Amino acid sequence: MTARRRAKAPSQADVARLAGVSQSAVSRVISGNAATARIPEETRQRVFEAVRELGYVANPAARAMRNQRNDLLGVHTFERVFPRASEDFYFEFLLGIEERAEETGFDLVLFTSTGSGGGGERKIYRNGTNRLNLADGSILLGVSTDRGELARLWYEGYPFVHIGRREVPGAEIPQIVPDYRSASEQIVQRLAEHGHRRLGYVREWMEMEPYADRRVGYAETVVRLGLTDTSPGVLGRVGIEEPWLDEVARGAVTAIVVESVRLAESLREQLAARGRKIPDDVSVAVLEAAPADLSGQWDSLVIPRVEIGRMAVDRLQDMLADPEQRTGSLLVPCPLVLGTTVATVSE
Amino acid sequence: MTARRRAKAPSQADVARLAGVSQSAVSRVISGNAATARIPEETRQRVFEAVRELGYVANPAARAMRNQRNDLLGVHTFERVFPRASEDFYFEFLLGIEERAEETGFDLVLFTSTGSGGGGERKIYRNGTNRLNLADGSILLGVSTDRGELARLWYEGYPFVHIGRREVPGAEIPQIVPDYRSASEQIVQRLAEHGHRRLGYVREWMEMEPYADRRVGYAETVVRLGLTDTSPGVLGRVGIEEPWLDEVARGAVTAIVVESVRLAESLREQLAARGRKIPDDVSVAVLEAAPADLSGQWDSLVIPRVEIGRMAVDRLQDMLADPEQRTGSLLVPCPLVLGTTVATVSE
DNA sequence: TTGAAAGCGTTACCAC
DNA sequence: GTGGTAACGCTTTCAA
């Protein structure tokens, strides 16, 4: 047995010739609903026999061209999907996307070619052509700095969903968005319930929407509950400042809300250097998903990534089924994680 | 600004009409090598202007049909790519595949639709049609129980590479194979160098090729170096048997080679229950990649998964470039990991 | 019930 | 240099 030299894949025409029927008959037997034009059993058999003999398989490109669809869902990440760093941001989204794609009978295209080559940011449009077009619709995820691309994509009417919030002026991009704002509200509320009235806020350097949401949720709730916050972070200053830390050590605030685990860890260290402990002296809550580690579990929140991936697939398929559904986003609740870093205020 | 209702994507014909040139001119300007048929700068400009105005983007299906290629690499896994279990078998292969695909400008199709729906085994052929065809060529990975599918795929001349060894009678499937045989040889050799002469072998229940390779490598080297093995495992009996363990505890063997971490852990426990410690009383080496854990690092081997993924992409692209290269596999060395579970024989 | 033929959007060949 | 045109493989309409 030797492999056939991939000469020319047999076409329906070949099958038709062998079976002694017309090409359209072959098409109808193979993919057409045999119901529409009932083919006599005997003809069907002849066709199937020829198919088997020739090893015919449909040419997907031709099908796609004719049908104007693919059953292909695109996944575009603005950074590499599988980063080498173990801190694997996309993985869980992909988990959900794959699960749901499998369940609904779609294949997935990972747009990797669009890379600029050097591992930098990936672009959707490259020399005028848009690879995403290959798929019926796409799920976009990651940090896109170039909003113009998103706007253009949306304007052109290409069906896509964005995972994570991204505002683009003039375009109502359908998004699946973790509800950081409400999660932040709940966290502040919980701190208040534990008797905390003087809070602090530590922000990351990023200015992306997900952070904006957290900040709005925090700030609003502080005001609504009549709490106070005079920390540098709430004014827009990034990171942890020394003079403020000294004030914290002196008891200026009883609870701190931090945007990331990274900053929270750093905060813990610097407080320790001043002889202050979490949560005995200061309570701390983190506004992102935080794994439990050696020193306990941060009070934090859950980002239901798998579920978000699944929702994105469903949302996209709704769009494909009904082009009217071109806009409309989904807000996904982020449950709180009760950890060991928030205590009732002692005073 | 409101999104265009995805009416009909503009085609080259539309562009040609607007620019007042022929359709073939448009094609040449856009994708044809402008060198072949030098287009005057002024014509090019007109075309580009029309492209911009219409928001034209090439139709990939038509291109694929015409060019008989896609620049799409398929990835077919016989099980779900992203398993929910954290023990993520495919992940590192994918890492390498993605890296290399990006570097070489190919996109990736993940064939998820071929699932039987229930999370069971995925099939390549379903009701006569072969989804893999969508991609220029594919990388297959995982445990395929149905060798007939592989044989058919190969016979039909579809370009693919298999990650991991899989023998299919009559088909010379190109494979990227971790060299377990040679790794096993080296491990036995190393045990011999540490003075071990009476060895034992513990095997998994699986009968797949990768295990066969390990067993051959082990058995051959035991014979070649004049060592002895009278363990149940070397005779083909699966797992760890009680009576044999008792013999081990009595000193019947000084070193044991185990096919998996799972079995090695179990072995450690059962030896401990008999008051025997690794490596003080018995040395143990594992024939798979073993993470360091609390009780130290198993003497084991490295499976260079990322590298294997990258090699698979390259191998596949060689096949695409030159259809003569339809056969030919690559053996990838698995370096040894020197751990803490092999000691020099004390007697 | 079956077949002929048009058309999907692209590229490449061959005249002009 | 440029434009017509055939061809890629498929589905579907329209006749027979």
Side-chain angles (χ1 to χ4, degrees):
Chain A
M1 185 174 184
T2 160
R4 206 181 309 215
R5 282 277 298 312
R6 187 136 246 249
K8 183 186 142 301
S11 69
Q12 286 186 351
D14 302 320
V15 174
R17 207 148 27 235
L18 181 59
V21 297
S22 80
Q23 192 196 133
S24 46
V26 175
S27 174
R28 278 189 291 248
V29 168
I30 288 177
S31 50
N33 23 9
T36 307
R38 278 207 312 274
I39 309 278
E41 194 50 30
E42 110 106 23
T43 309
R44 292 175 39 105
Q45 286 317 319
R46 276 223 308 284
V47 170
F48 280 131
E49 202 163 315
V51 163
R52 204 173 29 255
E53 180 159 346
L54 260 37
Y56 165 84
V57 282
N59 176 327
R63 269 210 173 147
M65 180 163 170
R66 175 66 222 208
N67 293 343
Q68 309 275 29
R69 63 174 291 173
N70 250 332
D71 288 357
L72 227 45
L73 255 35
V75 177
H76 177 88
T77 60
F78 292 96
E79 302 93 28
R80 198 165 269 177
V81 191
F82 305 113
R84 301 216 49 162
S86 64
E87 188 51 51
D88 179 26
F89 187 72
Y90 294 126
F91 184 73
E92 292 203 310
F93 291 125
L94 252 15
L95 218 97
I97 293 173
E98 190 203 13
E99 279 186 8
R100 196 68 190 122
E102 167 165 353
E103 288 166 14
T104 55
F106 276 66
D107 286 322
L108 250 31
V109 200
L110 260 37
F111 292 105
T112 56
S113 74
T114 45
S116 39
E121 194 190 358
R122 293 180 172 178
K123 298 210 120 2
I124 296 176
Y125 292 93
R126 265 209 315 189
N127 50 32
T129 198
N130 163 9
R131 278 295 273 178
L132 297 200
N133 248 311
L134 186 58
D136 293 343
S138 291
I139 297 172
L140 270 46
L141 56 177
V143 179
S144 59
T145 54
D146 183 351
R147 283 163 212 244
E149 286 203 309
L150 288 182
R152 174 167 172 199
L153 196 61
W154 187 78
Y155 181 69
E156 282 175 359
Y158 181 81
F160 70 99
V161 197
H162 193 276
I163 287 188
R165 200 155 82 74
R166 193 93 335 151
E167 288 313 320
V168 177
E172 286 175 75
I173 297 180
Q175 337 191 320
I176 317 290
V177 185
D179 192 352
Y180 293 123
R181 176 167 164 178
S182 152
S184 301
E185 284 178 20
Q186 292 172 56
I187 279 192
V188 174
Q189 206 146 356
R190 188 153 165 272
L191 290 171
E193 283 161 11
H194 281 70
H196 298 278
R197 315 227 65 86
R198 284 166 293 121
L199 310 189
Y201 192 89
V202 177
R203 73 166 64 197
E204 275 284 349
W205 60 271
M206 291 244 284
E207 290 298 331
M208 301 312 249
E209 288 82 349
Y211 290 105
D213 289 346
R214 292 167 165 94
R215 291 160 195 170
V216 167
Y218 173 84
E220 277 193 358
T221 315
V222 164
V223 171
R224 180 161 57 77
L225 300 183
L227 311 176
T228 63
D229 178 326
T230 54
S231 66
V234 80
L235 301 177
R237 307 238 289 286
V238 167
I240 305 168
E241 303 185 349
E242 296 280 331
W244 179 67
L245 269 175
D246 294 332
E247 285 181 44
V248 172
R250 270 186 251 115
V253 307
T254 61
I256 305 177
V257 176
V258 185
E259 285 186 352
S260 68
V261 174
R262 193 181 66 84
L263 283 170
E265 304 280 11
S266 159
L267 181 63
R268 168 154 51 206
E269 271 179 42
Q270 300 189 54
L271 284 176
R274 287 167 174 76
R276 295 291 176 272
K277 279 190 66 180
I278 300 171
D280 309 11
D281 303 303
V282 193
S283 290
V284 172
V286 178
L287 296 181
E288 72 177 10
D293 67 359
L294 301 164
S295 26
Q297 165 75 56
W298 291 103
D299 275 74
S300 54
L301 45 85
V302 174
I303 303 172
R305 293 211 169 103
V306 175
E307 185 55 26
I308 289 176
R310 299 178 59 97
M311 290 171 74
V313 172
D314 286 333
R315 183 69 190 76
L316 186 53
Q317 286 178 343
D318 288 348
M319 291 179 53
L320 295 179
D322 174 9
E324 296 302 315
Q325 312 263 0
R326 297 237 335 107
T327 116
S329 299
L330 263 30
L331 212 52
V332 187
C334 298
L336 260 44
V337 173
L338 304 188
T340 58
T341 58
V342 167
T344 299
V345 84
S346 45
E347 311 155 77
Chain B
M1 187 173 183
T2 161
R4 206 183 307 215
R5 284 275 299 312
R6 189 137 245 249
K8 183 187 143 299
S11 69
Q12 286 186 354
D14 301 319
V15 175
R17 207 148 26 235
L18 181 59
V21 296
S22 79
Q23 194 192 128
S24 45
V26 175
S27 175
R28 276 187 295 247
V29 168
I30 288 177
S31 50
N33 20 10
T36 307
R38 278 206 314 272
I39 310 277
E41 194 49 29
E42 111 107 23
T43 308
R44 291 176 39 107
Q45 286 318 320
R46 276 223 307 286
V47 169
F48 281 131
E49 203 163 314
V51 163
R52 204 173 29 253
E53 182 160 343
L54 261 39
Y56 165 85
V57 281
N59 175 327
R63 269 208 174 147
M65 180 164 169
R66 174 66 222 206
N67 293 343
Q68 309 274 28
R69 62 175 292 175
N70 250 334
D71 288 358
L72 226 45
L73 255 36
V75 177
H76 177 88
T77 60
F78 292 95
E79 302 94 29
R80 197 165 270 177
V81 190
F82 305 112
R84 297 209 62 156
S86 63
E87 189 50 52
D88 179 27
F89 187 73
Y90 295 125
F91 184 73
E92 292 203 312
F93 291 125
L94 251 15
L95 216 97
I97 293 173
E98 190 204 15
E99 279 186 6
R100 196 68 190 123
E102 168 164 354
E103 289 166 12
T104 55
F106 276 67
D107 285 322
L108 251 31
V109 199
L110 261 37
F111 292 104
T112 55
S113 74
T114 44
S116 39
E121 194 190 359
R122 293 180 172 175
K123 297 208 118 9
I124 296 176
Y125 291 92
R126 264 209 318 188
N127 51 32
T129 197
N130 162 11
R131 279 294 274 179
L132 296 201
N133 248 309
L134 186 58
D136 293 343
S138 292
I139 297 172
L140 271 46
L141 53 178
V143 178
S144 59
T145 54
D146 183 351
R147 283 163 212 247
E149 286 204 309
L150 288 183
R152 177 168 170 198
L153 196 62
W154 187 78
Y155 181 68
E156 282 176 358
Y158 181 81
F160 71 99
V161 196
H162 192 279
I163 287 188
R165 201 153 82 75
R166 193 94 333 153
E167 288 312 321
V168 177
E172 286 176 74
I173 296 179
Q175 335 190 321
I176 317 289
V177 185
D179 191 353
Y180 292 123
R181 175 167 166 178
S182 152
S184 301
E185 284 178 19
Q186 291 172 57
I187 279 193
V188 174
Q189 206 147 358
R190 189 155 164 272
L191 289 172
E193 283 161 10
H194 281 70
H196 298 278
R197 314 226 65 85
R198 286 166 291 120
L199 309 191
Y201 192 86
V202 177
R203 72 166 65 197
E204 274 285 348
W205 59 270
M206 293 245 284
E207 290 298 332
M208 303 310 250
E209 288 84 349
Y211 290 104
D213 289 345
R214 293 168 166 94
R215 291 159 195 170
V216 168
Y218 173 84
E220 278 192 358
T221 315
V222 164
V223 171
R224 180 162 57 78
L225 301 183
L227 312 177
T228 64
D229 178 326
T230 54
S231 67
V234 79
L235 302 176
R237 305 237 289 288
V238 167
I240 306 168
E241 302 186 350
E242 295 281 330
W244 178 68
L245 270 175
D246 294 332
E247 286 182 43
V248 172
R250 270 186 251 112
V253 307
T254 61
I256 306 178
V257 176
V258 185
E259 286 187 345
S260 68
V261 174
R262 192 181 67 85
L263 283 170
E265 304 280 9
S266 159
L267 181 63
R268 167 154 52 205
E269 271 179 43
Q270 300 189 56
L271 284 175
R274 286 166 174 77
R276 294 292 176 271
K277 279 190 65 179
I278 300 170
D280 309 10
D281 302 303
V282 192
S283 291
V284 173
V286 178
L287 295 182
E288 74 178 7
D293 68 358
L294 301 165
S295 26
Q297 164 75 57
W298 290 105
D299 275 75
S300 54
L301 45 85
V302 173
I303 304 173
R305 294 211 169 104
V306 175
E307 185 55 25
I308 289 176
R310 299 178 59 97
M311 289 171 75
V313 172
D314 286 333
R315 185 68 190 75
L316 186 53
Q317 286 178 342
D318 287 349
M319 290 178 54
L320 295 179
D322 175 9
E324 296 302 317
Q325 313 263 0
R326 296 237 335 106
T327 115
S329 299
L330 261 32
L331 213 52
V332 187
C334 298
L336 259 46
V337 173
L338 303 188
T340 59
T341 57
V342 167
T344 299
V345 83
S346 45
E347 310 155 85

